[in-house]
C-alpha cells in the first residue's frame, strides 16, 4: 500500500484538519475543562464532589454549555505534544518547511509552559484544573506522566528533524522528572510510574506503558544509558505480568486491592509501549514481549473493533463511538503493521470510516457519535490532537511500504 490515489482521501482529511487547527491556533475546549470557568469554580465552593459533578456533566452533555458558563479555551500541552509529533511525521514525508516552522513554534511553547521552576526538571500538565471521579487532582502546576511523556516523544522526533542539542537536553531533563518523581515499586518488586506526584493510592497501567514508550524513544538518543534500559525492562515486565488471560489489561490497581476495569483506547496505549520497546528487548525476553503484544493485539482487534472499523466505547459497551478511540486504533495498528503488514489495511479502514462519519466539512472531528445523534463539540486535544497524530502515523507508515 503506497501513498498514491488510494490515500488521497486520508491526505485531504489531514490537510483539512491541519488548516482548521492552525486557524484556531491550537486553542480550544477540553472534555475536562469545566473548572476553567470562574463561575463554575465559584458555585463548586472548592468541594470535590461538586467539582466532580460539574466536570462529568460538562464532559458528557451533548449540548455545549461552555460559552454560557464562560469556560475559557486554552492551549493544552498534551495536545501540543500530539500536534508536534504529527508535524515531525509530516515533515519527514513531505519535507515541507511549514511543518518545520510548526515544530519550532511548538518548542517555544514547551519552553514557556514547563514548570521546571517548581520541580527542578522540565515537566508539563494541562491548562485547566481537574478533579477526577476518584478525587485525584490535576492542575496547571501539577505535572503528570501522560502530558510530560507526550512532550518528550515530540522532542525526540523534533531532534531528528532539527538536530538541536537543546532538544536532547530538555528531553533528558523531563526524563529525570519521571525518574525522580514518578518511578515507584510495588510490594512484589515491580516498577511502575505514578500518574502524577500526588497520585499515590493506585497504579495506572497505561501510565507505565506510556512511560515505557517514551523511555524507549529516548534510548535512540541515549544509547549507552544503562539505567534507562533497566527501567524500560522493568516497566515491560510489569505489563507482561499484569496482562490478563484474554489479552487485555485493567485500567488501574489500587493499593487496597481494588481494580478498575475500563477496556477502551488505553489498551492501545499499552500496546504502543510494548511495540516501541521491542527493538530494545534483550534476546532472552524478546519472544515473551512479542507474545504479549500478539495476545493484546488479538484482543484489541477482535473484541474492541468491528469489521467496518468502528471501535467500542468501553468494551463490551459499544456506543458512543469516540473519535479518540478511533484515532488510537489507527495509531496502534499502523505501528504493529511493521510486524504484520496486513494491519495497515485495517488502520486505513478505521481512518476511512472516521473521516467519512466524524469529520466536519470545516475540518475538525466530532467528539461522540451516539446511535441516534452526534456530539459535534470540537475538543482540541481529545479529538483534533489525536486525529492529527493518527492520520500522520498512518501516512508515515504507508510511505515506508510504498
Amino acid at each position: 500500500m503506497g501513498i498514491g490515489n488510494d490515500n488521497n482521501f486520508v491526505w485531504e482529511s489531514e490537510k483539512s484538519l491541519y488548516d482548521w487547527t492552525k486557524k484556531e491556533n491550537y486553542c480550544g475546549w477540553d472534555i475536562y475543562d469545566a473548572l476553567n470557568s470562574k463561575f463554575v469554580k465559584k458555585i463548586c465552593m472548592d468541594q470535590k464532589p461538586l467539582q466532580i459533578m460539574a466536570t462529568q456533566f460538562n464532559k458528557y452533555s451533548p449540548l455545549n454549555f461552555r460559552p454560557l458558563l464562560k469556560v475559557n479555551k486554552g492551549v493544552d500541552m498534551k495536545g501540543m505534544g500530539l500536534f508536534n509529533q504529527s508535524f515531525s511525521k509530516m515533515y519527514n514525508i513531505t519535507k515541507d518547511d511549514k511543518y518545520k516552522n510548526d515544530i519550532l513554534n511548538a518548542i517555544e511553547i514547551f519552553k514557556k509552559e514547563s514548570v521546571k521552576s517548581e520541580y527542578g526538571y522540565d515537566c508539563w500538565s494541562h491548562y485547566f484544573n481537574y478533579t477526577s471521579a476518584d478525587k485525584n487532582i490535576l492542575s496547571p502546576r501539577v505535572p503528570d506522566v501522560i502530558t510530560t511523556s507526550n512532550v518528550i516523544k515530540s522532542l525526540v522526533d523534533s531532534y531528528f528533524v532539527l538536530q538541536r542539542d537543546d532538544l536532547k537536553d530538555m528531553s533528558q531533563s523531563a526524563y529525570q522528572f519521571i525518574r525522580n518523581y514518578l518511578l515507584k515499586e510495588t510490594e512484589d518488586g515491580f516498577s511502575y510510574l505514578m500518574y502524577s506526584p500526588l497520585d499515590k493510592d493506585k497504579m495506572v497501567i497505561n501510565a507505565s506503558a506510556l512511560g515505557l514508550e517514551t523511555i524507549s524513544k529516548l534510548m535512540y538518543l541515549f544509547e549507552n544509558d544503562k539505567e534507562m534500559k533497566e527501567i524500560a525492562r522493568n516497566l515491560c515486565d510489569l505489563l507482561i505480568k499484569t496482562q490478563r488471560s484474554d489479552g487485555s489489561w485493567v485500567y488501574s490497581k489500587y493499593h487496597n486491592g481494588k481494580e478498575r476495569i475500563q477496556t477502551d483506547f488505553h489498551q492501545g496505549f499499552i500496546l504502543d509501549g510494548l511495540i516501541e520497546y521491542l527493538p530494545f528487548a534483550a534476546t532472552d525476553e524478546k519472544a515473551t514481549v512479542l507474545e504479549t503484544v500478539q495476545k493484546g493485539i488479538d484482543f484489541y482487534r477482535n473484541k474492541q473493533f468491528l469489521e467496518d472499523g468502528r471501535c467500542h466505547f468501553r468494551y463490551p459497551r459499544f456506543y458512543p463511538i469516540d473519535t479518540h478511540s478511533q484515532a488510537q486504533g489507527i495509531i496502534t495498528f499502523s505501528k504493529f503493521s511493521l510486524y504484520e503488514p496486513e494491519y495497515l489495511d485495517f488502520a486505513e479502514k478505521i481512518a476511512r470510516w472516521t473521516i467519512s462519519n466524524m469529520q466536519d466539512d470545516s475540518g475538525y472531528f466530532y467528539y461522540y457519535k451516539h446511535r441516534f445523534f452526534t456530539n459535534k463539540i470540537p475538543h482540541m486535544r481529545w479529538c483534533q490532537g489525536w486525529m492529527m497524530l493518527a492520520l500522520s502515523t498512518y501516512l508515515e507508515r504507508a510511505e515506508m511500504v510504498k
Side-chain angles (χ1 to χ4, degrees):
M1 181 186 298
I3 295 186
N5 292 331
D6 288 345
N7 286 313
N8 284 344
F9 191 62
V10 181
W11 273 104
E12 288 302 316
S13 172
E14 191 280 335
K15 180 181 182 302
S16 182
L17 175 58
Y18 173 85
D19 290 343
W20 184 90
T21 304
K22 290 285 288 183
K23 179 174 65 71
E24 299 296 322
N25 203 24
Y26 318 115
C27 187
W29 285 307
D30 195 274
I31 66 170
Y32 295 118
D33 63 6
L35 300 180
N36 213 36
S37 159
K38 292 181 180 179
F39 173 72
V40 174
K41 287 181 71 175
K42 184 176 181 179
I43 63 174
C44 287
M45 300 177 293
D46 289 328
Q47 299 297 308
K48 285 186 179 181
L50 293 178
Q51 292 173 340
I52 293 168
M53 288 175 59
T55 299
Q56 294 301 310
F57 172 80
N58 202 42
K59 175 182 177 181
Y60 288 111
S61 172
L63 300 177
N64 189 9
F65 290 102
R66 290 169 178 82
L68 179 64
L69 297 173
K70 296 184 178 179
V71 175
N72 294 320
K73 294 181 178 181
V75 177
D76 189 75
M77 289 305 99
K78 178 180 174 182
M80 283 307 305
L82 301 174
F83 287 128
N84 198 39
Q85 290 173 65
S86 73
F87 297 151
S88 292
K89 294 179 186 300
M90 295 306 295
Y91 177 78
N92 290 334
I93 299 169
T94 67
K95 302 305 178 185
D96 189 331
D97 280 342
K98 74 177 182 182
Y99 295 114
K100 186 179 287 188
N101 291 331
D102 291 331
I103 294 169
L104 292 169
N105 180 52
I107 291 168
E108 292 307 309
I109 293 174
F110 295 143
K111 288 180 177 179
K112 178 183 177 182
E113 297 299 328
S114 172
V115 288
K116 182 177 182 178
S117 61
E118 297 183 33
Y119 290 85
Y121 306 104
D122 284 295
C123 48
W124 297 268
S125 187
H126 300 288
Y127 66 90
F128 49 85
N129 292 286
Y130 166 59
T131 302
S132 69
D134 55 5
K135 299 183 180 180
N136 285 303
I137 295 173
L138 287 177
S139 79
R141 311 315 295 178
V142 179
D144 64 271
V145 67
I146 306 298
T147 303
T148 299
S149 290
N150 274 291
V151 174
I152 292 174
K153 289 192 294 178
S154 84
L155 291 173
V156 174
D157 291 342
S158 298
Y159 172 80
F160 285 112
V161 172
L162 302 176
Q163 296 292 309
R164 278 176 35 179
D165 286 341
D166 62 319
L167 302 180
K168 290 179 67 174
D169 294 341
M170 197 187 311
S171 62
Q172 170 68 253
S173 172
Y175 161 74
Q176 291 299 331
F177 164 76
I178 291 175
R179 174 189 176 278
N180 290 300
Y181 280 91
L182 304 180
L183 184 64
K184 301 296 178 182
E185 192 171 285
T186 64
E187 291 183 356
D188 50 358
F190 285 95
S191 296
Y192 73 98
L193 295 173
M194 295 195 302
Y195 199 98
S196 80
L198 302 181
D199 194 21
K200 298 180 179 180
D201 64 337
K202 64 180 178 293
M203 174 176 65
V204 179
I205 305 300
N206 71 82
S208 294
L210 187 53
L212 172 62
E213 181 185 6
T214 301
I215 294 170
S216 298
K217 287 186 74 75
L218 282 167
M219 288 195 290
Y220 287 105
L221 300 184
F222 305 100
E223 297 177 1
N224 298 320
D225 193 315
K226 294 181 180 179
E227 182 190 61
M228 276 189 188
K229 293 179 180 179
E230 180 181 359
I231 292 174
R233 177 160 186 163
N234 290 341
L235 292 174
C236 179
D237 287 345
L238 172 76
L239 301 183
I240 294 171
K241 174 70 174 180
T242 54
Q243 188 177 41
R244 300 197 293 179
S245 59
D246 63 1
S248 68
W249 286 267
V250 300
Y251 179 84
S252 58
K253 292 176 176 285
Y254 289 78
H255 298 329
N256 63 8
K258 176 185 173 183
E259 290 185 340
R260 175 182 170 186
I261 297 175
Q262 180 180 308
T263 309
D264 55 15
F265 57 82
H266 294 99
Q267 304 293 308
F269 282 10
I270 297 170
L271 289 165
D272 287 355
L274 290 166
I275 292 168
E276 193 70 42
Y277 176 68
L278 260 172
F280 298 98
T283 304
D284 64 338
E285 63 172 338
K286 192 176 289 287
T288 302
V289 178
L290 191 55
E291 180 183 351
T292 302
V293 172
Q294 186 64 68
K295 194 174 177 181
I297 281 284
D298 288 345
F299 179 92
Y300 193 45
R301 168 65 179 86
N302 297 319
K303 296 295 187 181
Q304 293 183 240
F305 283 86
L306 301 187
E307 190 57 40
D308 64 3
R310 289 178 293 168
C311 183
H312 283 76
F313 175 62
R314 290 178 181 169
Y315 181 80
R317 177 183 169 186
F318 185 66
Y319 285 105
I321 300 169
D322 183 348
T323 288
H324 192 337
S325 298
Q326 297 294 114
Q328 186 58 50
I330 299 167
I331 292 168
T332 298
F333 294 125
S334 293
K335 289 182 175 181
F336 189 64
S337 70
L338 180 66
Y339 298 93
E340 295 190 19
E342 65 269 21
Y343 278 94
L344 191 61
D345 292 329
F346 192 60
E348 181 189 0
K349 183 177 286 188
I350 300 170
R352 286 181 175 274
W353 188 94
T354 309
I355 294 165
S356 296
N357 292 276
M358 299 189 77
Q359 188 170 23
D360 191 78
D361 288 343
S362 64
Y364 77 88
F365 281 83
Y366 305 143
Y367 177 30
Y368 281 164
K369 189 173 184 64
H370 295 263
R371 186 187 297 271
F372 299 115
F373 68 93
T374 300
N375 184 328
K376 298 185 178 182
I377 301 173
H379 295 299
M380 187 63 70
R381 168 186 66 94
W382 191 267
C383 301
Q384 319 323 321
W386 280 109
M387 278 306 299
M388 186 86 82
L389 179 58
L391 297 175
S392 61
T393 299
Y394 167 76
L395 290 170
E396 182 182 55
R397 180 61 189 148
E399 175 70 7
M400 290 172 63
V401 299
K402 189 174 177 179

